[in-house]
Amino acid sequence: MSALNDTERELVGLMTRISLTCRQGDTLYKTGQFDAAKAKYMELATDIVGAGFSLPMTAGSPSGGVICDVYIELDPWQRANLMGCCVGMAKCFRRENNLEMALAWCDEVNALYRCGFYQLPQPVYDWIDSCPDLPELTLVKATALCLASEILASLGNSGTATTRRWNAHKTSKNLFMHHQTAALHAVLNPALRNRMLELRHPDPNAPLSAGRVSGLQVRGSWSRLSIGKLGGPTDGREAFASFIWNSHLYVAGGRTCSNGPFHRDIWKLDLNNPDEWRRLPDYPIPLQISGRFIGWTMLIHNDTALLFTGRPTIDVFDLKTEKWSSLKTTYAPTSADIDAGVVDGWPWPNKMSCDATIVVADDKIYVFDGAHGRSIMGCNLFMELDLTTGTWRRLSGYVRAPQIADYSCPSPRKTAAGWASPDGRRIFLLFGHFDREATFHNELHSAGEAFGHEDFWSWGVQEQRWRRERISGNPPCARTELAFAYNAKLQRAIVFGGYHPTLPTHVINNSGEEKKFNYSYFADTFLYDMAPSLGNSPEPTLSAPKWQQVLTAGFPTYRCQAQLAVDGATGKTYMFGGWTNNQYIPTRTKLFSRSFGDLWELRVDLPGGNFEDVDVEEEMRVARAGPWQRCFVCAAAGPWKKCGGTCNGRVFFCGTTCLREGWSEHRKTHKCRKA
Ligand SMILES: [Zn+2]
Ligand SMILES: [Zn+2]
């Protein structure tokens, strides 16, 4: 696109006044006529989409997700006008304190913007932001992102709040000067953005509250389990495989640190009596054949754990006999597979695959994305292995990312999250990143930084088709190397932590110096309820499917590559391991190694979530907040000193003032005496 000349700009000014009828609603809103504004926005929006169309659209079935034919047909002026009406509706609902509806209307703007991409003459990958040269559209998109950011910040979802505001800045910063208006600058609010970049997620200094906004938040608690004996996985693990079977947590392979040692072992821990990790027979396949045991997944199927490494042989660990064996599989490429880049009769070059997202459902293994022998950036190959016949089939995608994007399937990536719906009919895929820095063998699409995917997809097993899902409710921000699991007892998918390759974090260290990281680590927790929406509800966006944040007073330290696993017998959810950059948690560097060997349990305030065991009051005062402790008296989080009394450091005090104020209460409640 090219810059406009003066005559064209004048014409645009005229078009703006005629086309953007949403400004009639804005005028009513500004003069305090909120009900009239709401009615006006709705009337104008209905004029654009037609009377039979329900706004905002619902997530999941039966809608088409993000893609909407009505939206794709709109010209940029109609699009900007409808986006303006949606922002107006969002403002009205926010005024009424109906935050969930306000967020749904903000998300509608996002879907409208995204649908503009489906009009382009050639499909483009998500890392290309193709904004039409229409300053009004830039402004309304930024307004929706920043409004959502404010609402999410008020809910304590600082990760997604910061990402929304950062995206508003990113999407507009390289546009022509005539987009850079005073109105846009006011919306973007660079001073607020910079303050938000200093937060960590969760923000340990955010006020703790026992209340929650129903529908968008769930109370929860993270508690660390102490393992009787050190050794084995307690030394810390990253890029490992793990699962729970028969109330035992298994951990296999991975590495202690990025430069090793590299493991080929497997261990188990009794979750009902976690006194020590027991070592089982090592992975028997030689290194020259399998490559390193890094970034692989083990899945449970009929009392065995299956391990896919990219080879046609699946390695099998029998959980009853604790012996390794193997399962041969076959694959015959179709001509379409060969067009998708399959060579030498096998989809994964050099018979290697790592960092893929692998899900088991109904006797089938689904393998999506990951790196292989000819790409370390990540691919979007989607393969299915039928365990009853041992045969592979390609469902979608390419061995290496082609020049032109394909909107019918998710873009190439690695280390995404994935799970199956309880009925096995949909396979979900969330986020991940495309490692554009890691170019290899002249791969296309290399760049100076990785791209963190912000999308959510599901594969319809019956329809054999992908759907790009809306991310509704109070969701996690884009991230990769996140921990995830499906908890059948809670009927929720759970995600925790992870890493954003390009969301900056500015850390002020103890000496007051600012250190800028161009990435972020997370320690926040979210639930996804994928139950289908109730079509007859008057406000269908208020029912599932949607995301909720789990609010916890304490949380494990910010990290990526941790893993979640659910004990099917008890419904308990556990988190183990992972990795963080030492400098990211500057206050206690000496105490933290780069990888973690800690084990945590998550409780959530839902039926079956074991929340009745949690002492909410106590936890708000003593729980560990990431790398910090909470002061027992003022609840501020920081590198505080332990109580030196006979309680063995059960509580922490931020300084002598709080120690003096809180001592007598601590002495009484925890029976502590001066040592
Ligand atoms: Zn204090
Ligand atoms: Zn004490």
Side-chain angles (χ1 to χ4, degrees):
M1 81 186 112
S2 58
L4 306 177
N5 65 35
D6 287 349
T7 329
E8 285 167 337
R9 202 159 301 147
E10 234 171 76
L11 199 63
V12 167
L14 184 69
M15 287 283 289
T16 309
R17 288 189 291 280
I18 299 170
S19 307
L20 298 180
T21 53
C22 62
R23 292 185 175 180
Q24 300 167 21
D26 297 348
T27 308
L28 293 168
Y29 186 90
K30 277 180 204 143
T31 51
Q33 303 171 69
F34 302 112
D35 290 339
K38 217 167 141 185
K40 189 48 121 183
Y41 288 129
M42 208 59 207
E43 174 201 321
L44 296 167
T46 309
D47 278 349
I48 299 168
V49 293
F53 194 94
S54 101
L55 274 169
M57 286 172 68
T58 49
S61 307
S63 87
V66 172
I67 296 182
C68 165
D69 290 338
V70 173
Y71 290 178
I72 294 173
E73 308 279 290
L74 300 177
D75 69 47
W77 290 99
Q78 291 171 312
R79 189 180 307 282
N81 195 27
L82 184 51
M83 285 162 77
C85 294
C86 293
V87 168
M89 289 301 282
K91 284 183 178 163
C92 294
F93 276 107
R94 192 203 181 183
R95 241 199 105 259
E96 296 166 13
N97 209 26
N98 187 340
L99 302 184
E100 191 162 356
M101 280 305 285
L103 287 171
W105 282 102
C106 288
D107 191 51
E108 206 62 28
V109 175
N110 210 13
L112 273 158
Y113 184 76
R114 176 51 49 188
C115 280
F117 285 69
Y118 295 92
Q119 288 181 328
L120 298 173
Q122 203 171 64
V124 295
Y125 284 104
D126 283 7
W127 49 86
I128 295 159
D129 190 0
S130 173
C131 184
D133 189 8
L134 190 57
E136 193 57 36
L137 196 141
T138 304
L139 175 64
V140 74
K141 187 199 176 195
T143 308
L145 285 168
C146 293
L147 179 60
S149 171
E150 280 174 31
I151 298 169
L152 292 160
S154 74
L155 292 167
N157 183 355
S158 65
T160 310
T162 306
T163 311
R164 294 277 191 273
R165 191 164 287 280
W166 178 249
N167 284 351
H169 159 70
K170 261 200 329 192
T171 192
S172 37
K173 72 172 179 183
N174 293 325
L175 294 173
F176 292 120
M177 278 315 289
H178 59 278
H179 289 253
Q180 315 291 342
T181 57
L184 179 67
H185 190 79
V187 165
L188 294 177
N189 195 343
L192 176 58
R193 179 174 71 240
N194 285 332
R195 281 202 303 280
M196 291 181 82
L197 293 178
E198 287 173 13
L199 300 176
R200 257 152 306 176
H201 320 294
D203 170 20
N205 297 314
L208 292 171
S209 110
R212 65 190 169 88
V213 176
S214 146
L216 294 174
Q217 299 170 325
V218 177
R219 286 191 304 173
S221 153
W222 278 109
S223 57
R224 187 170 175 182
L225 275 71
S226 79
I227 312 291
K229 236 192 222 163
L230 296 182
T234 64
D235 294 346
R237 291 268 166 146
E238 50 187 74
F240 57 95
S242 77
F243 57 90
I244 293 176
W245 179 80
N246 199 17
S247 296
H248 285 71
L249 175 64
Y250 292 72
V251 164
R255 59 193 172 209
T256 306
C257 206
S258 53
N259 54 356
F262 299 94
H263 305 290
R264 303 178 77 74
D265 50 5
I266 178 163
W267 300 73
K268 74 172 181 183
L269 177 76
D270 183 350
L271 290 166
N272 294 323
N273 184 18
D275 50 325
E276 65 175 318
W277 284 93
R278 279 216 307 113
R279 189 164 183 168
L280 303 169
D282 283 358
Y283 178 58
I285 309 299
L287 179 67
Q288 311 85 275
I289 293 175
S290 73
R292 278 178 179 154
F293 196 140
I294 295 289
W296 291 344
T297 303
M298 291 181 89
L299 299 161
I300 300 174
H301 185 251
N302 298 342
D303 296 332
T304 62
L306 305 177
L307 175 62
F308 171 67
T309 66
R311 288 149 48 235
T313 304
I314 301 282
D315 299 306
V316 181
F317 186 73
D318 187 312
L319 294 160
K320 287 182 166 161
T321 62
E322 302 189 335
K323 287 197 173 92
W324 287 93
S325 63
S326 63
L327 172 75
K328 295 262 182 293
T329 65
T330 58
Y331 168 67
T334 64
S335 60
D337 293 3
I338 290 163
D339 291 344
V342 173
V343 288
D344 301 330
W346 186 245
W348 291 277
N350 298 1
K351 301 190 172 67
M352 281 164 57
S353 166
C354 69
D355 296 334
T357 308
I358 311 187
V359 172
V360 65
D362 285 348
D363 289 332
K364 288 195 170 113
I365 290 183
Y366 296 90
V367 180
F368 184 84
D369 72 24
H372 53 61
R374 285 180 67 228
S375 174
I376 43 177
M377 293 162 85
C379 72
N380 67 348
L381 202 56
F382 185 46
M383 300 286 300
E384 171 199 274
L385 171 64
D386 186 332
L387 289 166
T388 57
T389 61
T391 52
W392 287 96
R393 192 160 70 94
R394 186 181 69 94
L395 300 175
S396 71
Y398 306 85
V399 175
R400 299 222 291 186
Q403 179 70 48
I404 314 278
D406 180 350
Y407 287 153
S408 71
C409 60
S411 311
R413 67 193 69 202
K414 55 188 187 184
T415 53
W419 60 87
S421 65
D423 59 9
R425 287 189 190 174
R426 298 203 82 83
I427 308 298
F428 288 87
L429 180 82
L430 177 72
F431 303 148
H433 75 294
F434 187 46
D435 210 349
R436 303 180 73 196
E437 292 171 299
T439 155
F440 193 46
H441 299 318
N442 307 318
E443 274 187 87
L444 297 170
H445 314 297
S446 70
E449 60 179 25
F451 178 73
H453 281 290
E454 303 189 324
D455 54 356
F456 183 32
W457 293 75
S458 76
W459 169 260
V461 173
Q462 283 170 330
E463 309 89 296
Q464 297 280 294
R465 208 171 48 225
W466 285 103
R467 178 168 75 204
R468 187 168 175 151
E469 296 285 0
R470 284 161 172 263
I471 307 183
S472 50
N474 184 13
C477 61
R479 59 192 66 201
T480 188
E481 299 181 0
L482 58 158
F484 58 93
Y486 176 70
N487 187 317
K489 201 159 210 170
L490 301 175
Q491 300 183 324
R492 300 287 191 281
I494 307 170
V495 306
F496 164 78
Y499 161 83
H500 192 303
T502 58
L503 175 71
T505 308
H506 300 168
V507 173
I508 316 286
N509 70 14
N510 288 346
S511 7
E513 298 154 1
E514 188 177 65
K515 206 164 163 38
K516 291 187 176 180
F517 298 96
N518 49 20
Y519 49 78
S520 297
Y521 289 93
F522 303 108
D524 43 5
T525 312
F526 294 86
L527 301 178
Y528 182 61
D529 180 355
M530 67 199 97
S533 67
L534 309 163
N536 54 359
S537 146
E539 283 181 346
T541 49
L542 300 186
S543 63
K546 70 174 168 190
W547 289 91
Q548 294 173 305
Q549 185 173 16
V550 183
L551 296 181
T552 61
F555 49 90
T557 294
Y558 311 96
R559 65 184 76 194
C560 57
Q561 295 183 7
Q563 294 200 17
L564 285 172
V566 176
D567 183 349
T570 58
K572 290 182 178 175
T573 307
Y574 297 90
M575 188 279 290
F576 172 80
W579 180 94
T580 200
N581 181 328
N582 269 340
Q583 292 172 299
Y584 199 75
I585 44 171
T587 48
R588 292 165 72 91
T589 38
K590 282 192 220 99
L591 296 178
F592 283 85
S593 64
R594 285 164 75 86
S595 69
F596 300 99
D598 50 355
L599 177 64
W600 295 69
E601 186 190 336
L602 173 68
R603 294 179 174 87
V604 294
D605 191 5
L606 287 176
N610 298 301
F611 196 73
E612 49 294 344
D613 309 344
V614 178
D615 183 342
V616 180
E617 288 288 311
E618 165 94 357
E619 208 177 76
M620 281 171 64
R621 303 180 67 176
V622 303
R624 188 189 183 93
W628 299 281
Q629 298 294 344
R630 285 205 188 279
C631 171
F632 180 64
V633 181
C634 67
W640 314 140
K641 286 213 169 62
K642 272 186 204 186
C643 171
T646 57
C647 72
N648 276 328
R650 178 162 180 178
V651 301
F652 289 73
F653 296 100
C654 70
T656 45
T657 317
C658 277
L659 172 62
R660 230 180 296 130
E661 274 179 33
W663 170 251
S664 105
E665 187 191 352
H666 168 53
R667 200 186 51 191
K668 264 187 250 146
T669 38
H670 300 124
K671 314 259 178 296
C672 183
R673 277 170 289 110
K674 286 199 172 113

